[in-house]
């Protein structure tokens, strides 16, 4: 797979379609699986790791009816390419930073990725735009079955699928929905919302999962528990809170419009102005401002921009993406300049930037 | 990800916005508490593995109990309970069997349940003892090679091959 070709595209999770896609960004499910005849990663010798990688690579590249699958040898990649895959959410940061034989299989539409030798031997991940947990489950369930036809998973009658960390044992499943919640952040209600989610054992994470802070007001809501509830119950639990969160966010947006439309309009317009004219800009500031602009477009305060353009900018202005698109490695200072130029080119035109990247 | 100050898993991820530059910190529960303590009282976070482990192991267990427990190791992969406590990661599937008693309260604490409900492998391998045996034999073979006991290593290799072929 040519990573450079991926770079120019937007990927599935920020495609920006599907129901309620102004607030719900994407739905994701991952399953943790281990081979029964090898120790967990921590106790693997180099030889074990290579054998696991060999077995699973063979499996994931020959899944029935799935022809458009590419395999990337992560151990062989340059740092910038590994970071690129993290930015696209195709591998985890832990997977990028690990050592030894490991890889990832990715389908052409970037709807699923199969990480080999992450924290567990196999992490299957399926991602769909918008709120689509059922479709995601059907796809991942099938992939899981296809792989299992030829390998023996570590499974215990009582404990379910056995995982390297007891926090994943049982279903090995993490269901998450990514939401864009700028108005809840602006009205300082977000912490309250999170505390109530934690009480019903749902976890809240930032854009890049475990260990990432909320960048650009993107938040992932996911199940904390994996044992003692069925996959459907776990999906339902996450899916059930999403409508309320959407409603809270909408109410907060209404409140901002009603109480202080001038201030809000000013804030959104300034954000847009900075993004259009800055000469050097960091990734954090870009995410922060794009978040305001995104909400501004959704509320009709900015009329000459489309959501897909903004979604694309969120991902294309990330450090590794910028470098891939530019075709050269850049240090932080040069990246900030390149980022500002990139934003100018794509925002001043007010279209999707159909030019060659 | 490991805590930047010790070997424990980082369960707290903090972005400090107050200084001149953004600073990202990745800390374990203990170091995070130290870091956050003077500012505000630490938010009651969701149960993290390290936190739950610490809680569970502090309750009702004397230092001697704990020391004895730490010494125990899995006959298959060799991981000690101490190692698991430090890293928060198990060594092999058999650990769930051999440390079952020790892990039970921990699992209840994390999940509020002990019985899996939901999907099962279609092929339904009832007895995975052969697979477990393979893990053990491979480890013994590596040890034998390291100790230059080549005759023993080659016997082990033959046993491994035999099981692998039976499984196919």
């Amino acid at each position: 797979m040519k990573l450079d070709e991926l770079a120019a595209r937007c990927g599935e999770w920020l495609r920006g379609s599907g129901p309620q896609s102004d607030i719900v960004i994407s739905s994701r499910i991952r399953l943790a699986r281990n081979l029964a005849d090898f120790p967990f990663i921590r106790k693997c010798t180099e030889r074990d790791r290579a054998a696991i990688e060999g077995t699973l690579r063979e499996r994931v590249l020959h899944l029935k009816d799935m022809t458009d699958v590419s395999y990337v040898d992560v151990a062989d990649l340059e740092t910038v390419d590994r970071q690129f895959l993290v930015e696209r959410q195709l591998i985890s940061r832990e997977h990028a930073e690990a050592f030894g034989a490991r890889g990832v299989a990715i389908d052409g539409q970037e709807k699923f990725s199969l990480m080999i030798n992450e924290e567990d031997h196999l992490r299957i991940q399926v991602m769909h735009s918008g709120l689509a947990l059922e479709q995601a489950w059907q796809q991942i369930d099938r992939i899981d079955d296809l792989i299992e036809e030829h390998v023996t998973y570590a499974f215990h009658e009582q404990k379910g699928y056995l995982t390297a960390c007891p926090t994943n044992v049982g279903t090995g499943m993490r269901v998450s929905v990514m939401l864009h919640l700028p108005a809840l952040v602006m009205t300082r209600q977000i912490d309250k919302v999170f505390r109530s989610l934690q009480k019903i054992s749902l976890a809240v994470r930032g854009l890049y999962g475990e260990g990432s802070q909320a960048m650009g007001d993107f938040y992932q809501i996911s199940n904390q528990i994996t044992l003692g509830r069925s996959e459907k119950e776990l999906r339902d639990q996450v899916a059930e809170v999403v409508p309320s969160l959407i409603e809270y966010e909408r109410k907060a947006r209404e409140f901002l419009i009603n109480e202080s439309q001038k201030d809000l309009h000013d804030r959104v317009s300034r954000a847009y102005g900075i993004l259009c004219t800055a000469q050097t800009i960091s990734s954090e500031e870009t995410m922060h401002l794009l978040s305001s602009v995104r909400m501004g477009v959704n509320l009709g305060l900015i009329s000459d921009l489309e959501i897909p353009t903004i979604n694309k900018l969120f991902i294309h202005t990330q450090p590794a993406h910028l470098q891939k698109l530019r075709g050269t490695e850049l240090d932080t200072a040069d990246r900030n300049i390149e980022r500002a130029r990139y934003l100018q080119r794509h925002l001043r035109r007010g279209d999707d930037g159909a030019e060659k990247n | 990800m490991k805590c930047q100050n010790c070997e424990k898993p980082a369960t707290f991820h903090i972005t400090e916005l107050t200084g001149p530059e953004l600073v990202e910190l990745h800390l374990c529960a203990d170091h995070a508490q130290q870091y956050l303590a003077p500012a505000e009282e630490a938010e009651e976070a969701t149960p993290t593995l390290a936190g739950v482990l610490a809680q569970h192991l502090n309750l009702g267990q004397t230092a001697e109990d704990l020391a004895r427990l730490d010494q125990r190791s899995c006959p298959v992969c060799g991981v000690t309970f101490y190692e698991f406590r430090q890293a928060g990661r198990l060594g092999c599937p058999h650990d769930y069997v051999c440390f079952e008693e020790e892990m039970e309260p921990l699992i209840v604490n994390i999940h509020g349940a002990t019985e899996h409900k939901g999907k099962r492998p279609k092929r339904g391998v009832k007895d995975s003892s052969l697979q477990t045996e393979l893990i053990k034999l491979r480890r013994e073979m590596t040890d034998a090679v390291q100790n230059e006991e080549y005759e023993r290593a080659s016997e082990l290799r033959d046993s491994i091959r035999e099981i692998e072929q039976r499984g196919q």
Side-chain angles (χ1 to χ4, degrees):
Chain A
M1 168 178 279
K2 288 258 163 55
L3 294 184
D4 297 350
E5 286 170 23
L6 280 189
R9 288 190 263 139
C10 193
E12 172 69 12
W13 66 274
L14 267 175
R15 199 156 49 84
S17 66
Q20 315 263 25
S21 62
D22 56 334
I23 294 173
V24 186
I25 304 293
S26 63
S27 306
R28 180 154 65 143
I29 300 182
R30 76 112 166 97
L31 296 175
R33 299 287 187 253
N34 288 278
L35 301 182
D37 54 350
F38 283 94
F40 293 140
I41 296 293
R42 209 187 135 63
K43 279 286 175 187
C44 276
T45 60
E46 262 173 60
R47 216 168 143 167
D48 290 335
R49 286 185 75 115
I52 295 164
E53 204 237 5
T55 306
L56 287 174
R57 181 179 51 203
E58 191 57 28
R59 281 314 310 142
V60 301
L61 281 174
H62 295 97
L63 295 176
K64 218 180 350 182
D65 309 332
M66 295 186 198
T67 47
D68 188 19
V69 179
S70 320
Y71 189 80
V72 181
D73 185 339
V74 175
D76 247 10
L77 289 182
E78 300 283 334
T79 314
V80 64
D81 288 326
R82 291 202 296 260
Q83 200 192 339
F84 169 79
L85 291 175
V86 174
E87 288 172 6
R88 273 189 111 72
Q89 308 218 319
L90 293 170
I91 65 173
S92 63
R93 214 163 49 179
E94 189 168 1
H95 198 232
E97 289 167 2
F99 295 94
R102 64 198 193 282
V104 62
I106 303 164
D107 79 309
Q109 291 179 296
E110 296 178 56
K111 285 197 176 175
F112 67 81
S113 75
L114 306 155
M115 275 179 268
I116 300 174
N117 288 347
E118 206 245 20
E119 181 183 301
D120 294 293
H121 298 159
L122 181 65
R123 288 277 176 103
I124 313 171
Q125 171 186 279
V126 166
M127 202 152 46
H128 284 245
S129 248
L131 188 56
L133 287 175
E134 287 314 304
Q135 290 96 305
W137 167 250
Q138 274 162 24
Q139 191 179 7
I140 205 166
D141 186 31
R142 187 172 135 71
I143 294 171
D144 185 42
D145 287 347
L146 288 174
I147 295 171
E148 201 252 328
E149 278 176 10
H150 299 268
V151 302
T152 305
Y153 284 148
F155 184 84
H156 185 275
E157 276 304 307
Q158 244 182 41
K159 297 282 180 299
Y161 293 92
L162 303 179
T163 51
C165 183
T167 51
N168 296 315
V169 75
T171 56
M173 182 168 88
R174 190 84 60 212
V175 185
S176 55
V177 174
M178 180 141 56
L179 304 168
H180 188 223
L181 305 172
L184 284 176
V185 175
M186 246 182 245
T187 54
R188 295 168 196 270
Q189 296 180 81
I190 200 90
D191 288 339
K192 212 166 63 191
V193 172
F194 291 168
R195 274 198 295 274
S196 57
L197 288 177
Q198 284 174 353
K199 276 188 196 135
I200 53 169
S201 57
L202 291 178
V204 182
R205 298 189 175 84
L207 178 53
Y208 288 109
E210 224 156 307
S212 77
Q213 293 297 298
M215 285 166 83
D217 306 321
F218 290 111
Y219 293 93
Q220 298 190 63
I221 317 297
S222 57
N223 61 305
Q224 189 94 20
I225 287 169
T226 55
L227 180 72
R229 294 187 204 173
S230 70
E231 287 83 358
K232 177 155 181 21
E233 288 170 319
L234 293 172
R235 284 196 308 282
D236 288 349
Q237 200 203 357
V238 173
E240 269 166 20
V241 302
V242 172
S244 329
L245 291 171
I246 293 174
E247 200 190 314
Y248 292 147
E249 171 66 18
R250 291 215 191 289
K251 278 198 179 136
R253 290 182 186 191
E254 252 171 63
F255 172 84
L256 289 171
I257 287 273
N258 293 338
E259 297 297 310
S260 54
Q261 170 152 18
K262 271 224 173 65
D263 289 345
L264 182 67
H265 201 163
D266 180 64
R267 178 174 178 150
V268 165
S269 304
R270 279 168 185 271
Y272 192 16
I274 293 172
L275 289 170
C276 286
T277 54
Q279 298 297 306
T280 168
I281 189 165
S282 72
S283 180
E284 287 78 19
E285 187 178 3
T286 305
M287 295 286 279
H288 178 65
L289 297 173
L290 278 173
S291 175
S292 290
V293 170
R294 190 177 192 276
M295 180 172 66
V297 174
N298 281 327
L299 292 175
L301 300 171
I302 295 174
S303 55
D304 59 345
L305 257 184
E306 302 283 342
I307 289 293
T309 309
I310 304 170
N311 286 351
K312 199 162 129 175
L313 289 176
F314 270 114
I315 182 116
H316 282 181
T317 55
Q318 303 277 323
H321 270 76
L322 265 187
Q323 296 175 71
K324 295 299 286 178
L325 289 170
R326 187 83 168 87
T328 173
E329 286 201 26
L330 301 166
D331 64 19
T332 311
D334 285 341
R335 279 205 301 273
N336 290 348
I337 294 170
E338 177 61 22
R339 185 175 294 113
R341 282 196 196 133
Y342 189 87
L343 286 165
Q344 283 184 25
R345 271 207 306 279
H346 290 80
L347 287 174
R348 283 187 177 171
R349 292 163 50 108
D351 65 17
D352 201 19
E355 66 189 277
K356 293 266 182 310
N357 287 305
Chain B
M1 177 184 279
K2 277 183 196 157
C3 171
Q4 56 194 51
N5 295 340
C6 70
E7 288 291 297
K8 286 184 208 161
T11 48
F12 282 76
H13 308 279
I14 299 164
T15 307
E16 194 63 75
L17 300 159
T18 46
E21 273 184 40
L22 277 176
V23 181
E24 273 199 46
L25 296 158
H26 305 285
L27 302 169
C28 67
D30 293 341
H31 282 108
Q33 216 160 24
Q34 264 177 30
Y35 176 78
L36 294 168
E40 270 177 74
E41 57 180 297
E43 278 277 332
E44 204 182 309
T46 40
T48 58
L49 181 64
V52 168
L53 262 175
Q55 203 186 350
H56 150 54
L57 292 168
N58 285 337
L59 293 173
Q61 260 155 342
T62 62
E64 293 107 73
D65 282 346
L66 199 55
R68 214 173 309 126
L69 188 62
D70 280 349
Q71 293 298 311
R72 285 202 43 202
S73 67
C74 168
V76 174
C77 69
V79 81
T80 59
F81 197 73
Y82 175 76
E83 223 179 313
F84 163 60
R85 249 173 13 99
Q86 289 296 304
R89 300 285 180 278
L90 293 158
C92 79
H94 188 69
D95 295 352
Y96 282 97
V97 178
C98 81
F99 295 131
E100 189 177 5
E101 214 176 293
E102 293 85 345
M103 280 177 58
E104 183 96 356
L106 171 69
I107 285 187
V108 170
N109 217 328
I110 300 170
H111 300 286
T114 55
E115 294 256 348
H116 172 57
K117 216 173 132 187
K119 190 170 178 175
R120 287 165 181 276
K122 293 265 178 321
R123 292 193 302 152
V125 179
K126 280 270 158 9
D127 179 15
S128 61
S129 59
L130 275 183
Q131 276 85 9
T132 310
E133 186 66 15
L134 273 177
I135 299 178
K136 193 170 149 212
L137 291 174
R138 286 204 198 94
R139 180 167 73 99
E140 285 172 2
M141 186 172 79
T142 310
D143 289 349
V145 171
Q146 260 165 16
N147 299 333
E148 302 185 7
E149 301 165 78
Y150 297 114
E151 211 168 307
R152 167 115 183 99
S154 102
E155 280 168 27
L156 285 162
R157 189 195 53 209
D158 292 344
S159 319
I160 291 168
R161 280 202 187 142
E162 197 206 326
I163 298 178
E164 281 176 341
Q165 271 155 16
R166 242 193 294 171
Q168 273 166 10

